[in-house]
Amino acid sequence: MNKNTYAVIMAGGIGSRFWPISRTNNPKQFHDVLGVGESMLQLTANRLTDICPPENIYVVTNKDYRDLVAEQLPTLSDDQILCEPIGRNTAPAIAYACFKIANLNPEANIVVMPSDHVVLKEEAFKKTVKQALEASEHADKLITLGIKPSRPDTGYGYIQFIEKGTEELKKVKTFTEKPNLEIAKMFLESGDFVWNAGIFIWNAKSILKAFKTYLSEMAEIFEDGSGYFNTQHEKEFIAKAYSHCRNISIDYGIMEKADNVYVLLSDFGWSDLGTWNSLYSIGHKDEAGNVVDGEVLLYDAKNNIIKTPKERLVVIQGLENFIVAEFDNVLMICRKDEEQRVKEFVSDVKAKKGPSYI
């Protein structure tokens, strides 16, 4: 295993579209969403076996989730849990991790991934990531993984690639954020668009160079940390650094602007698990099309997704095409085709019932 290979898991998001399972004090990455006995974060970390040494895995998370990360990944040292004082989107999170790793090992080759995505084909995933790491190790390339779209989904970002040769690694032409349905259909038909999986691979030199070129003010902020990274003063420095960082994603800040961006065409059973319907689409369905996780008895019920506490018996009769989700002090029953209203529910609950339900 290459000692220069590092992994960064981003685990700071709240995932409000997955409410009421995903909550402010306990987001979805810390839940056993798939009902397999491990949280999304644990599954993500386990996926890195054979990709990089365990001591080279870093988790970037909100300071409020530090104890959750430590509890779920007890093999991590304190230094491997990077705590953000405030949320500032993905660019500062990635800058923090990559500048810290580069300070430790300038020859580092890094894979960055979210903590809450589904991968159904583990071996295919490992093979793909290793292929990307091989391509980035000694080249000035910023690589992202692209998933061949199976439907005109409006919830994903799309990457258009330049079709040259037969290699799976393609030069990126354009990025498009969450298109409408008609445009998504056009992308699907064209054959040169893939879903943006939000998984990145690059060497430390290339990503630091990209920050200096496209997010120079952010690069300056983290360059000032060279004397503090990997010391007892790092936390104090980061608290000050984040107060000066703007809220911006790595996609908008660098990937959409850089001219050395490549996409590796991939197929490893990926889903960003951003919504209840995405969980339904990959879940095991009974004869009536229901996806169930919990102690549930169903009568004349079809095409529902039901996730309830194991200690509570739930009896459902006559329900069709619904989401039934219960966690802690909240039960939500919502039509599957109205799931986009979940964010509206969260906003209303916060305003009318208070933060204890969010």
Side-chain angles (χ1 to χ4, degrees), residues 54-55 57-58 66 70 73-82:
E55 65 272 19
I57 297 173
Y58 290 82
R66 188 216 163 274
L73 300 177
T75 61
L76 294 186
S77 68
D78 286 346
D79 193 52
Q80 290 173 269
I81 304 174
L82 313 189

Side-chain angles (χ1 to χ4, degrees), residues 91 142 144 159 171-177 196 200 202 207 209-218 246-262:
L142 307 178
T144 184
I159 300 170
K171 190 87 185 290
V172 168
K173 186 175 181 181
T174 59
F175 285 82
T176 304
E177 280 301 312
N196 184 358
F200 309 104
W202 43 54
I207 190 59
K209 175 184 171 185
F211 269 103
K212 291 171 187 175
T213 304
Y214 303 103
L215 289 173
S216 57
E217 76 289 349
M218 195 175 293
R246 60 176 167 139
N247 189 320
I248 187 170
S249 71
I250 195 73
D251 294 87
Y252 185 74
I254 291 179
M255 302 301 281
E256 294 179 17
K257 296 179 172 65
D259 58 4
N260 60 332
V261 179
Y262 292 78

Side-chain angles (χ1 to χ4, degrees), residues 18-21 276 305-309 322-327 330-334:
F18 228 84
W19 185 82
I21 302 297
W276 284 105
I305 178 163
I306 302 157
K307 188 169 180 63
T308 54
F322 270 80
I323 301 163
V324 179
E326 181 182 1
F327 180 74
V330 176
L331 168 66
M332 182 189 74
I333 302 171
C334 169

Side-chain angles (χ1 to χ4, degrees), residues 7-11 30 41-42 44-46 48 52-61 65-83 115:
V8 176
I9 301 172
M10 295 182 289
F30 302 109
L41 174 63
Q42 289 170 321
T44 302
N46 292 342
L48 292 166
C52 74
E55 65 272 19
N56 289 3
I57 297 173
Y58 290 82
V59 176
V60 186
T61 191
Y65 307 145
R66 188 216 163 274
D67 290 346
L68 279 169
V69 174
E71 179 186 332
Q72 294 198 359
L73 300 177
T75 61
L76 294 186
S77 68
D78 286 346
D79 193 52
Q80 290 173 269
I81 304 174
L82 313 189
C83 295
S115 59

Side-chain angles (χ1 to χ4, degrees), residues 256-283:
E256 294 179 17
K257 296 179 172 65
D259 58 4
N260 60 332
V261 179
Y262 292 78
V263 60
L264 182 59
L265 307 189
S266 311
D267 178 14
F268 43 77
W270 173 88
S271 170
D272 75 343
L273 210 66
T275 64
W276 284 105
N277 269 319
S278 63
L279 180 58
Y280 178 81
S281 69
I282 65 165

Side-chain angles (χ1 to χ4, degrees), residues 4 21 57 90 108-109 116 118 125 143 175 195 233 239 272 286 297 304 339 341 345 356:
N4 290 334
I21 302 297
I57 297 173
T90 54
N109 200 22
D116 55 358
V118 170
F125 171 82
I143 299 173
F175 285 82
W195 287 335
H233 303 293
D272 75 343
D286 65 17
L297 290 176
N304 302 293
E339 72 162 357
R341 298 187 64 187
F345 301 158
S356 64

